Amino acid sequence: MRQIPRSQEPELRGAADGAGGLPGQNLSRLTSGEQVRLYLRRLIFDGVLRQGQRVPQDAVARALGVSRIPVREALIALEREGWITIIAHRGAFVNALDASSVHDHYELYGLFYGFAVRRAVERQGAELGERLAPLQKELAAAGDPEALQELSARFHRLIVEAAQSPRLRNMLKQMTGIVPGNFFELVPGVQAVEKRGTAAIVRAVRKADAQAAEREYVAMLRSQGDLVVELFRGRGMFERPDAEAAPASP
């Protein structure tokens, strides 16, 4: 993601009256900072906050019923993730998102999870496949996006745990999903990719073929990245406004 031109600050309808007019979801189980971070990413995803626009921090705080402190925490985290640029004494501005950034995100996921499954197979052998197979069978039969998301999380978590790599777990914790909300509900075609991909991974693991399992993980996540790019392009998230670029300093 790169810095993009700045335009006028958006008007968040109903922000002074709570969450009216703003897209959102059940955030009650998250910390205040996590709520704000997910909420802002959703505003960008839904087109309420566009590229180059200033993030209206007070309106966001009122919409979620939080103070400015978790909003600032969320903005710092979002800047690290590349979603925004913070300019001293000027505010926080939404960065441009391009297809290459999205592809890179999923390529990195593929590298991390590919490494995880390779290590897991090296350490646990084909026995890991017997543990994964019943879970993958449930995943393949799931039709509800919520159930599929839960089963998918359990599948990938089992592999990461089997890799027995604290460094890998810490690296994955630092990565956040690029699609806010339920991935399997929002991204067309991704359910089929997940089901085919996890089935191929299990087949390779049951053969104790660590390299094949790694390749299948990379291929699955690369395909998911392609679908996310299609979704973002269709939503106009890669468009750049014709406006003067935001200055790098006040």
Side-chain angles (χ1 to χ4, degrees):
M1 300 180 190
R2 58 186 182 278
Q3 183 174 315
I4 50 81
R6 177 166 60 91
S7 59
Q8 294 181 348
E9 181 174 314
E11 294 183 3
L12 300 187
R13 301 180 303 279
D17 300 319
L22 294 175
Q25 51 190 288
N26 183 7
L27 306 175
S28 60
R29 290 180 292 179
L30 304 176
T31 67
S32 295
E34 290 169 338
Q35 287 184 36
V36 177
R37 183 169 61 167
L38 178 59
Y39 192 64
L40 287 172
R41 285 170 51 219
R42 187 65 192 235
L43 292 179
I44 296 170
F45 181 77
D46 287 338
V48 177
L49 289 176
R50 306 291 294 181
Q51 299 170 15
Q53 292 180 324
R54 184 196 303 270
V55 177
Q57 299 180 44
D58 289 336
V60 170
R62 288 193 298 269
L64 292 179
V66 299
S67 70
R68 288 284 299 271
I69 294 175
V71 175
R72 287 195 293 268
E73 292 173 350
L75 291 174
I76 292 170
L78 289 169
E79 185 174 44
R80 286 198 304 266
E81 295 170 11
W83 286 97
I84 66 166
T85 293
I86 299 173
I87 301 174
H89 310 299
R90 298 295 298 275
F93 299 88
V94 180
N95 283 346
L97 183 67
D98 57 36
S100 294
S101 298
V102 177
H103 282 304
D104 287 350
H105 182 87
Y106 285 91
E107 288 289 335
L108 287 170
Y109 262 135
L111 291 173
F112 283 133
Y113 279 104
F115 174 82
V117 77
R118 176 158 51 87
R119 279 286 185 267
V121 173
E122 290 170 352
R123 289 170 175 165
Q124 301 201 17
E127 184 272 335
L128 176 62
E130 301 310 311
R131 294 166 57 198
L132 288 170
L135 184 54
Q136 198 283 323
K137 186 175 180 180
E138 287 187 66
L139 190 154
D144 176 65
E146 292 294 333
L148 184 55
Q149 180 160 279
E150 171 61 24
L151 290 164
S152 175
R154 288 169 54 194
F155 181 93
H156 302 304
R157 186 165 55 246
L158 194 159
I159 289 173
V160 172
E161 291 171 353
Q164 300 174 8
S165 173
R167 178 64 62 87
L168 174 65
R169 286 198 299 270
N170 288 335
M171 294 296 292
L172 285 170
K173 284 179 181 178
Q174 296 177 40
M175 296 188 70
T176 58
I178 202 169
V179 177
N182 189 310
F183 185 66
F184 297 104
E185 181 179 16
L186 294 171
V187 184
V190 79
Q191 294 191 27
V193 170
E194 182 81 5
K195 292 177 180 182
R196 287 196 305 268
T198 53
I201 291 165
V202 170
R203 286 194 297 270
V205 172
R206 293 179 102 169
K207 296 176 183 177
D209 191 337
Q211 292 184 342
E214 182 177 20
R215 288 195 301 271
E216 294 295 350
Y217 238 126
V218 170
M220 178 179 71
L221 288 164
R222 183 176 293 138
S223 295
Q224 290 182 355
D226 292 340
L227 292 174
V228 173
V229 166
E230 290 180 15
L231 173 65
F232 282 12
R233 184 172 285 122
R235 297 176 72 95
M237 293 178 68
F238 296 147
E239 296 176 1
R240 297 184 63 191
D242 295 326
E244 184 179 354
S249 60

